[in-house]
Every structure is written in structure tokens, then in C-alpha cells.
Amino acid sequence: MECKETTIGSGSRINSYNSPMVKVLRGAIDIGSGSTKIAVLKVEYQNGQRYGKIVETLYGREHSISFGKDYKRSSTGELSTEIQDLGIATLKDMLSHARAKYKVNKFSAICTEVFRKAKNGARYLDRIRTEANIPVIIVPQS
């Protein structure tokens, strides 16, 4: 099989083989109560499919950010401005590194319970969308 470098969708470049499968690089972010994690993943899927399978994790990083402790200490049921600013700054740093080193342009993020509970959780997610320029959703309680 012939191997060639391809630009796919988001502008990410990876080597691909002539086949019905498409390979792309994607970034995944998990913003939890105690830490924020990022991963750069090689994802493979059939042309036209919306979802694929992760075939390789190229990069992973985790930073401790105590959103949960901050929320529990709050007398108002909100996340402090300080923890929000730390979260945004850390997220932007993580994104910058992943974009520069791996040329990933498409990221998705999820948030967990503390952001559902905090009175200003939805506003914080709006800040992430605006300041970090990535889509983010709160994982529903199941």
C-alpha cells in the first residue's frame, strides 16, 4: 500500500493509507472536580460516519485544579473567580501545547458534577467556550 501525508477536515496532518477508513487527530478534554485532563488522539472512522474509534493516544497531560474543594468551601454555592481564572489559564496552556506540537485544531470538552451543582457553573462553561474557543458540555447525571 502507498502511504501519503494527508490533510483531513480540521487541517490536522497525519499519514494515511489508501483505504475506506479516514484517520484524523482530535483533542479530548475532561474538566473534572479535581483535575483537568487533555489527550490528543488518532481516530479512525469510515467516510460518512460521525463517530469512530480511537486507534492511538499520542499525548496526555493532567493538571490538578480543585474545583470541587473550591465549590464546597463556597458559602454561595459558586466557583470562585480565582479557581475559574486558574482553570481557564491552565486549559489555554494545555491547548496551546497540543495545537503547537500536534497541529490539532478540533477539540471537545466535557465537565462533570461540580459544574452542574455550582450556581455559576453554566457561566463558567460560557467562559471556556469564549476564552478557550472550544465546545464544552456538562456530562448528564445518570
Side-chain angles (χ1 to χ4, degrees):
M1 282 190 202
E2 176 186 331
C3 179
K4 61 183 180 180
E5 188 175 85
T6 326
T7 301
I8 302 172
S10 68
S12 302
R13 294 183 183 279
I14 62 172
N15 289 331
S16 65
Y17 291 90
N18 294 331
S19 74
M21 301 300 282
V22 177
K23 297 177 186 172
V24 294
L25 295 181
R26 294 289 185 250
I29 300 161
D30 176 356
I31 305 168
S33 297
S35 67
T36 297
K37 301 172 193 141
I38 188 169
V40 174
L41 310 160
K42 188 183 295 186
V43 179
E44 182 178 74
Y45 62 95
Q46 297 268 183
N47 264 326
Q49 284 185 332
R50 184 173 177 177
Y51 302 102
K53 80 174 181 179
I54 297 168
V55 293
E56 186 178 358
T57 300
L58 302 173
Y59 172 74
R61 190 166 153 196
E62 179 175 356
H63 281 280
S64 177
I65 303 174
S66 299
F67 290 107
K69 287 181 184 176
D70 184 80
Y71 167 75
K72 287 177 183 174
R73 281 192 296 255
S74 169
S75 62
T76 63
E78 294 184 325
L79 297 168
S80 70
T81 302
E82 294 78 19
I83 200 77
Q84 290 182 56
D85 291 346
L86 175 63
I88 295 284
T90 302
L91 183 57
K92 287 167 104 175
D93 179 62
M94 295 169 91
L95 287 164
S96 177
H97 177 78
R99 286 177 173 138
K101 185 167 183 177
Y102 296 97
K103 309 299 183 225
V104 179
N105 294 320
K106 190 167 185 177
F107 289 86
S108 294
I110 60 166
C111 294
T112 57
E113 179 181 27
V114 70
F115 304 97
R116 278 194 307 272
K117 289 183 172 182
K119 289 180 183 176
N120 59 347
R123 282 190 310 245
Y124 179 65
L125 299 190
D126 287 339
R127 281 190 66 190
I128 291 172
R129 290 180 191 107
T130 302
E131 296 178 40
N133 195 29
I134 58 168
V136 61
I137 61 167
I138 297 177
V139 176
Q141 187 175 6
S142 18

